Amino acid sequence: MPAFDDRQPETRPPASSVVERQGVKGVRFDHDTLAQRVRFASASAAEILADEIKELGAARVMVIAAEAERELAHRIAAQLPVAHWHHEVAMHVPVEVAERAREQAAAHRADALVCIGGGSTTGLAKAVALTTGLPIVAVPTTYAGSEATNVWGLTEHARKTTGTDPRVLPRTIVYDATLMLTLPVDLSVASGLNALAHCVDSMWAPRADPIDRALAGEGIRALRIGLPLVAAEPDGLDGREHALYGAYLSAVAFASAGSGLHHKICHVLGGMFDLPHAQTHAVVLPHVLAFNAPAAPDAERRIAAAFDAESATGGLARLRTRLDAPRSLRDYGMPESGIGPAAEAILAAVPPGNPTPVTADNITGLLHAAWEGAEPR
Ligand code: NAD
């Protein structure tokens, strides 16, 4: 199985730089666009899913959806030729859960996977696709964005390993914003800020290029408009559609740019203290933005513009206040004694080219502020 631990340094050089060749100064970058179809239409998931499965020529579909999304899955996949309904899903894809899903795929001779749910559900479908090569049609119900990346993740002995593989990229994403209407406001806010974190980190991640930054800027703009609408009117479609569109853009930018400092921090914290994924991102984001923005003027300008604010940090702070966003890691169970070990692990994983040099002192300060819910410095 192709595998790498994402705590190791990125192997590719920064993708975007101003270079001088034959006396000519110019922008130079390489950008890979991942090939997948995106179908975005509210109240149309069942019909579009049926279309996509027909187009794939699949006759034995394995539908993956967590228990909580069982009813929803049976409703929107009712017209499909389903060989197996799989409802065992767990956060961060434990290997034993992945193994059981792979066995079921083989036992039922599945020829396609449909996943309906959040990032955990998409992650399980990816784990099955990784070893079987089965095509995935993804129907996301959170703003996590896993459906638009070729990144898989598996957890064994409390250690999450991630890697990239073209086989895990869903062939088609079916976005139906009506499926988000049941996502409670607090989870919508945390998940939306997880998407926002993809955008912000894509400004300075190791492979960030001008295309990623453009997508990320538009993603921030859409999320900045959508999330307050979701919070104010959870049953309204407009906010849900804006947020879902922003979440997709955020994931595309992230898939290309790679993990920046923010994602490395959250990866370490999530793994060490079993913290909830979206909420951890929501808490840590303003601290990383305040940490990097002063040393990244182009990112600062783009993020501020996307927030329609005077400064990037001010724009994020204003949005977080409107959303009553999660504030502290201790609220989610991280012990204060964990700050030291986490700082050490993060130091070993700092992505190359992070705008602000990371030291034991400043990363400890950042973690402490995020732990206690202090204002970002
Ligand atoms: P999740 O999938 O665990 O879902 C969180 C909760 O929300 C669950 O209880 C779920 O049942 C519920 N839920 C989902 N949709 C709902 C809806 N519409 N209405 C009501 N409840 C709903 O959490 P998540 O934040 O979506 O995903 C987190 C996972 O995704 C993590 O493991 C993370 O590492 C992974 N992820 C992977 C990538 C990638 O590129 N590989 C990107 C982002 C996240």
Side-chain angles (χ1 to χ4, degrees):
M1 185 195 296
F4 72 82
D5 182 335
D6 89 348
R7 276 172 279 195
Q8 287 167 0
E10 299 280 346
T11 48
R12 281 167 55 181
S16 163
S17 51
V18 175
V19 291
E20 187 161 341
R21 283 191 152 215
Q22 297 172 357
V24 177
K25 257 194 175 172
V27 173
R28 179 174 180 156
F29 66 87
D30 302 319
H31 178 89
D32 291 323
T33 298
L34 299 178
Q36 68 178 171
R37 172 186 281 181
V38 179
R39 300 196 60 183
F40 195 113
S42 291
S44 304
E47 174 198 325
I48 293 178
L49 250 184
D51 256 20
E52 290 300 309
I53 290 301
K54 196 167 163 205
E55 182 146 337
L56 275 177
R60 302 190 60 81
V61 175
M62 173 163 158
V63 177
I64 302 179
E67 275 301 338
E69 280 74 61
R70 176 192 280 263
E71 207 187 303
L72 165 70
H74 282 261
R75 177 159 54 82
I76 64 175
Q79 301 168 43
L80 307 185
V82 178
H84 177 54
W85 298 92
H86 194 84
H87 298 301
E88 189 199 14
V89 173
M91 178 91 93
H92 301 314
V93 198
V95 279
E96 57 282 6
V97 173
E99 273 311 319
R100 283 196 285 273
R102 289 165 177 163
E103 281 162 18
Q104 292 301 316
H108 292 278
R109 291 178 291 111
D111 57 5
L113 303 168
V114 166
C115 54
I116 301 168
S120 301
T121 305
T122 312
L124 181 59
K126 286 177 161 184
V128 176
L130 184 64
T131 54
T132 60
L134 291 175
I136 302 174
V137 177
V139 187
T141 63
T142 70
Y143 307 115
S146 176
E147 67 279 1
T149 82
N150 56 1
V151 179
W152 55 264
L154 283 166
T155 304
E156 189 166 23
H157 307 307
R159 186 166 178 269
K160 188 165 182 179
T161 302
T162 61
T164 57
D165 192 297
R167 283 175 297 181
V168 309
L169 180 75
R171 296 282 180 89
T172 302
I173 310 174
V174 179
Y175 283 120
D176 178 342
T178 63
L179 308 185
M180 319 298 295
L181 294 172
T182 50
L183 194 65
V185 168
D186 59 342
L187 252 180
S188 300
V189 164
S191 187
L193 290 172
N194 181 190
L196 196 73
H198 293 324
C199 297
V200 170
D201 230 17
S202 295
M203 295 288 177
W204 46 56
R207 303 190 307 267
D209 65 42
I211 294 173
D212 306 333
R213 294 187 185 106
L215 293 170
E218 171 66 358
I220 293 171
R221 192 194 63 84
L223 289 161
R224 180 257 293 170
I225 294 169
L227 293 177
L229 288 173
V230 170
E233 200 195 329
D235 296 336
L237 205 53
D238 193 21
R240 300 286 183 178
E241 286 187 336
H242 270 87
L244 198 53
Y245 163 66
Y248 165 69
L249 295 177
S250 82
V252 176
F254 170 63
S256 168
S259 287
L261 181 64
H262 172 86
H263 280 79
K264 296 291 183 184
I265 293 173
C266 293
H267 185 95
V268 166
L269 296 175
M272 272 190 172
F273 311 111
D274 196 24
L275 302 178
H277 179 83
Q279 291 84 345
T280 305
H281 280 264
V283 171
V284 170
L285 179 62
H287 299 277
V288 176
L289 181 59
F291 185 86
N292 269 346
D298 179 58
E300 154 64 38
R301 187 184 52 74
R302 284 174 185 266
I303 297 169
F307 275 125
D308 194 20
E310 302 260 302
S311 70
T313 50
L316 179 59
R318 192 169 66 197
L319 178 68
R320 286 175 51 82
T321 303
R322 288 182 73 184
L323 299 177
D324 192 19
R327 295 200 79 83
S328 75
L329 294 172
R330 71 173 152 194
D331 288 349
Y332 297 99
M334 179 177 164
E336 188 173 13
S337 59
I339 292 175
E344 208 174 299
I346 292 162
L347 267 179
V350 174
N354 189 64
T356 298
V358 180
T359 65
D361 267 2
N362 63 19
I363 195 69
T364 303
L366 184 156
L367 288 177
H368 203 275
W371 175 81
E372 69 177 354
E375 284 305 309
R377 281 172 282 178

